[in-house]
Amino acid sequence: MAITELTLRRAAELRAMVDDYVDASTRALTARWAQAWQEVAQEWQDTIAVILAKKAAGEPLTPAQITNLARTQRALAMTAAKLRELAAELGPLLEDSVREVVERTADLTTAVAASQMPPVDSKLLPSFTRVDQSALEQIIERSLGQIHASSLPLSDEAVDAMKSALIRAVPSGWHPDRAAREMLKRARSGFNGGLTRALRIARTEQLDAHRAANRAQNIANPTVTAVVWHAELSSRTCPSCIAKHGTEYPPDTEGPFDHQNGRCTFIPKTKSWRDLGFDIDEPPDIIPSAEDWIANNPHDAVAALGPDRYRMLQDGQISLADMARRVDNPDWRPSYQATPLADLRRKANP
């Protein structure tokens, strides 16, 4: 049951595999969005030119009048169609990646657990069963369904943002060329808001598919008795993830439910060597506790927690557990997020 150096290496390999697929989908989505913008950019340039020409001629254009211009309507309709096309592509683009993440997670999770076995003849060790393929298929289908559902509002949200960008006032006295560049920059920012959402969907759903496969694989093997929340501890780790790091849960626990774009994982923990029937002393766990990491890395801890959280923690006014709170989201899933400082101050000074 000891989490060894080999265990952490295997867990890092598992996480690196997931990150590789997430990074590849990020590159593909970013390239596709850049291509799509080029296909509508000229229409927006022409629309902006018409608006600025009307303003230069002294026409009083209200936001409603700008929106209702035939040229604006044409640009918005073309953009909406392009964004719907991009949204429809999201599921097919991610399908192979989700499938590979799920399949490989099932295999690599076994390697993480097997790294904790005692140094005896492999014939004497318990075998690890690969989770039933039908269970993995259900995870894949559920993930693809969630990607589809999450991408449906993508077009409307981005178009609304672009519409708002178009009618925002341009500072008086600007040269028309500068004004046109600023308005086009705002429009592109609104368009790329759809990319931001798509990237969040892609990352979140691939990570959640990985976590679901990890859980299914752990449940399939009675040798696994617990899972350990593991965060990448650094100056950039959020307080909630630091607080949850090292906490143990039953192997059928869903998650870990970290925040969006989180990098936390569950590491399976197996039965002790004596429970497996081997009268051998085990090495100690080498996974650092959050408390030890904070004590040994004060500068990074202050950067990660913030000076106020760090001070209250060192003074014993709050505990590590106080720094994480569960937030329920009906449109996504529960997640653990950093407890607001105001709440921690009230706890520290009742």
Side-chain angles (χ1 to χ4, degrees), residues 87-99:
E89 291 175 3
L90 191 57
L93 186 148
L94 294 173
E95 182 172 358
D96 288 346
S97 180
V98 168
R99 181 171 293 279

Side-chain angles (χ1 to χ4, degrees), residues 81 105 130 156 202 207 226 314 317 332:
T105 292
R130 191 177 193 271
D156 292 342
L207 287 176
Q314 294 303 303
Q317 295 176 300
W332 184 43

